[in-house]
Amino acid sequence: MTRRDGLKGLVGAAAVGSLLAACGGSDDEGAQDGEGGGAGAAVVANGTEPENPLLPSDTNEVGGGRIIQNIFAGLCYYEADGSVQNDLAESIETSDAQNYTIRIRAGQTFSDGTPVTAQSFVDAWNYAALLTNDQLQAYFFEPIVGYADVQADPPTAQTMSGLVVVDETTFTVALTQPEGDFPLRLGYSAYYPLPASAFDDMTAFGENPVGNGPYKLAEQGAWQHNVRIDLVPNDSYDGPRAAQNSGLAFVFYESQDAAYADLTSGNLDVLDQIPDSALTVFESDLGDRAVNMPAAIFQAFTVPQYMPGMSGEAGLLRRRAISLAIDRATICEQIFSGTRTPASDYTSPVLDGFSDSVEGNEVLQYDADQAKQLWAQAEAIEPFTGSLDIAYNADGPHQGWVDAVTAGLRQTLGIQSEGKPYATFAQLRSEINDRAIQTAFRSGWQGDYPSLYNFLAPNFATGGSSNDGDYTNPEFDALLQQGASTTDAAQAATLWNQGQTILFRDLPAIALWYQNVSGGSADTVENVRFGWDSQPLYYEITKS
């Protein structure tokens, strides 16, 4: 999930990352009163059942990410405006953007009382990168010297040679090339530290993680799968994100409508995504407690090129036809009531370097006649059979736009096209990750750190951690790396936007719109701020 400010000094950036989840059963009870923190009951917020056990290196979706961000602390974190602040880091220094010396604050501990050391970071990063551990976030360590060795099949090394522990509070990182925005990545959840106990049984640890952040799990069994998870303040955390409340209860709703009903009745304190049914009324319902502002969120749907009829020249013509057949402006206005803006690229307007005039982006403009012509050309090469369905998770606010898009495809292209609902986000992601899904599917991105690269590399680089359509183009990869290797932010943005021209030519995903953070809070809480990445700053919220 990313935004605004560029490199400020030599510090990292933190945010909840990755794939954009929707939200999901209603439960009116809050968490137990916490140990320390602010007075009063726990803050009740909406959430989604995490896709995987709560491991920083294996969580790349929002449901798990929002929890991990609160129970762990990284080298840095983001303020609401996207500005970068140190958390565990005392300093992050480099003279060449390729070799970094990182010093952490002394005396830090995990919630079990064991120390947070340089080794805690190095061990966690090595575990994340090792091929045999099969971690979803491994790709984030690709720039480090030795990554290729731990990713060989079978691995030729168990640890990356570019990571060296100097002393208890200092370690060094050597990259394979200069990477100007590397420091911006270091607060993302993939780079969080782990206690030594995690390595005894990583699966068990993921069910009951021990972190070093402002919160910890309330007790053994605090994670009630598919229902909720309860957090209490972590008294051993002494960083800048200290909890101002007595805990957090993330309730996993089956529908956004149920969550909104709980918000307006005072049974839910904070909601970060308004259902379609309430978009026209939530600002009047909530008054000054409503939030509707730009955020680093991009929405699309992926058309895997392994689908019948979607590869080769015919497939490319069809993907262009599909894109041209979507009336994004009308959908944004009629379904989303202005809380979305039609996309003009694959990143976000809140990022430095964003351009709304990337060459080739005219394919995002509605043109029914051209769409029909391109589809007919594809049919002449290879007839299309079956239905062009779009899979989505029904526990999020997606049915409305999916129905609108598929209706447009039926009307404009004269083909069969329907929405394919999955009950939960986790079920949808499981099929996508296993490459078992045989339809197009909703996709999107919520920034991890403030860089165009973060939107482009994980989603579209060869082997990217969230490249769910298995897209590959060496020319695009080369431009990504050229941009990453420069310390000139303007030059990097130019190169990455050149890379986007290739995406508009190949269309590995159909860009749809940018999403505002549309949410709000009940009158049960105060001091609610939503951040650059659309997530509330939960630790700041107070509840009497």
Side-chain angles (χ1 to χ4, degrees):
M1 313 168 186
T2 343
R3 150 153 148 168
R4 299 187 258 281
D5 293 312
L7 186 61
K8 292 189 175 182
L10 289 166
V11 293
V16 173
S18 300
L19 288 177
L20 196 60
C23 308
S26 176
D27 190 328
D28 295 341
E29 298 174 5
Q32 306 167 16
D33 282 353
E35 306 167 15
V43 173
V44 185
N46 69 296
T48 0
E49 172 69 12
E51 178 186 358
N52 294 315
L54 294 171
L55 300 178
S57 57
D58 206 33
T59 298
N60 69 344
E61 45 78 33
V62 173
R66 59 160 57 92
I67 298 165
I68 283 175
Q69 184 186 30
N70 284 287
I71 61 177
F72 286 91
L75 294 168
C76 316
Y77 73 101
Y78 279 141
E79 264 288 359
D81 64 356
S83 59
V84 184
Q85 307 293 334
N86 280 350
D87 197 329
L88 263 69
E90 183 175 282
S91 63
I92 302 172
E93 300 173 343
T94 184
S95 59
D96 58 4
Q98 185 169 358
N99 296 281
Y100 292 86
T101 298
I102 299 173
R103 294 180 176 86
I104 64 173
R105 292 187 290 117
Q108 306 306 300
T109 64
F110 291 98
S111 61
D112 64 357
T114 58
V116 180
T117 66
Q119 194 74 52
S120 306
F121 283 92
V122 170
D123 287 347
W125 295 10
N126 278 319
Y127 179 87
L130 185 62
L131 176 71
T132 51
N133 292 329
D134 193 26
Q135 298 295 285
L136 289 173
Q137 304 276 51
Y139 175 80
F140 281 88
F141 301 92
E142 184 180 38
I144 299 175
V145 171
Y147 176 82
D149 299 325
V150 300
Q151 277 284 303
D153 191 9
T156 57
Q158 297 296 301
T159 60
M160 293 179 285
S161 58
L163 296 178
V164 176
V165 174
V166 177
D167 56 40
E168 191 169 83
T169 59
T170 309
F171 66 104
T172 59
V173 184
L175 307 182
T176 57
Q177 65 173 21
E179 301 237 351
D181 79 341
F182 181 73
L184 292 177
R185 312 171 197 178
L186 293 180
Y188 176 49
S189 59
Y191 299 100
Y192 287 165
L194 290 175
S197 61
F199 302 94
D200 296 335
D201 186 338
M202 199 63 77
T203 300
F205 178 85
E207 290 294 322
N208 190 32
V210 173
N212 64 316
Y215 296 91
K216 61 183 179 180
L217 267 66
E219 59 183 9
Q220 186 75 27
W223 182 2
Q224 301 174 51
H225 286 282
N226 299 304
V227 178
R228 64 188 294 145
I229 192 165
D230 294 323
L231 309 180
V232 295
N234 174 18
D235 291 338
S236 65
Y237 174 76
D238 69 352
R241 294 188 296 142
Q244 302 303 305
N245 49 62
S246 291
L248 304 174
F250 289 108
V251 178
F252 306 150
Y253 283 89
E254 294 177 357
S255 74
Q256 294 297 103
D257 291 292
Y260 186 73
D262 270 4
L263 182 72
T264 55
S265 64
N267 292 319
L268 182 69
D269 296 319
V270 183
L271 178 65
D272 67 359
Q273 197 167 22
I274 301 296
D276 292 354
S277 61
L279 287 176
T280 59
V281 299
F282 83 99
E283 290 179 293
S284 59
D285 284 352
L286 302 178
D288 61 5
R289 294 181 180 275
V291 173
N292 184 19
M293 66 183 193
I297 307 176
F298 163 81
Q299 294 277 12
F301 67 91
T302 298
V303 184
Q305 294 179 39
Y306 57 74
M307 283 178 57
M310 291 300 164
S311 62
E313 183 180 357
L316 179 56
L317 289 168
R318 286 198 173 94
R319 293 194 300 279
R320 292 187 67 84
I322 291 166
S323 183
L324 290 164
I326 299 171
D327 189 347
R328 294 165 177 80
T330 298
I331 292 174
C332 285
E333 183 57 38
Q334 294 187 358
I335 293 180
F336 294 124
S337 301
T339 61
R340 310 290 191 274
T341 304
S344 54
D345 84 328
Y346 285 91
T347 67
S348 168
V350 303
L351 300 174
D352 287 343
F354 166 81
S355 172
D356 63 2
S357 56
V358 174
E359 182 181 348
N361 71 357
E362 62 273 7
V363 75
L364 303 182
Q365 299 298 316
Y366 177 55
D367 189 332
D369 290 339
Q370 187 180 3
K372 292 175 183 177
Q373 293 171 13
L374 292 172
W375 191 269
Q377 291 174 29
E379 287 291 285
I381 298 172
E382 177 188 356
F384 180 79
T385 59
S387 180
L388 179 58
D389 296 339
I390 301 176
Y392 66 96
N393 51 296
D395 59 351
H398 303 295
Q399 182 178 352
W401 72 258
V402 171
D403 286 350
V405 168
T406 53
L409 296 179
R410 292 194 301 270
Q411 179 177 351
T412 301
L413 302 179
I415 62 173
Q416 294 180 7
S417 182
E418 301 288 347
K420 182 180 180 181
Y422 285 72
T424 66
F425 180 72
Q427 290 175 10
L428 174 63
R429 289 302 312 167
S430 178
E431 285 215 5
I432 292 171
N433 288 335
D434 293 342
R435 300 302 188 262
I437 196 162
Q438 297 299 313
T439 67
F441 52 87
R442 65 159 290 258
S443 51
W445 195 253
Q446 185 168 335
D448 301 316
Y449 58 91
S451 172
L452 300 176
Y453 184 85
N454 175 238
F455 278 70
L456 300 175
N459 289 305
F460 304 115
T462 301
S465 59
S466 299
N467 186 349
D468 296 323
D470 296 327
Y471 172 69
T472 181
N473 185 307
E475 185 183 0
F476 174 75
D477 292 343
L479 285 167
L480 276 184
Q481 287 306 308
Q482 290 173 34
S485 67
T486 179
T487 57
D488 184 322
Q491 182 182 5
T494 296
L495 290 164
W496 292 330
N497 284 328
Q498 287 176 13
Q500 290 203 75
T501 66
I502 299 171
L503 298 183
F504 283 124
R505 185 185 70 201
D506 294 347
L507 291 176
I510 308 300
L512 293 173
W513 37 73
Y514 311 117
Q515 180 176 329
N516 280 9
V517 50
S518 53
S521 57
D523 59 8
T524 51
V525 290
E526 301 291 343
N527 302 311
V528 179
R529 289 199 297 163
F530 286 74
W532 63 282
D533 58 353
S534 87
Q535 290 295 294
L537 277 65
Y538 296 104
Y539 62 92
E540 290 186 348
I541 300 172
T542 56
K543 183 177 183 180
S544 60

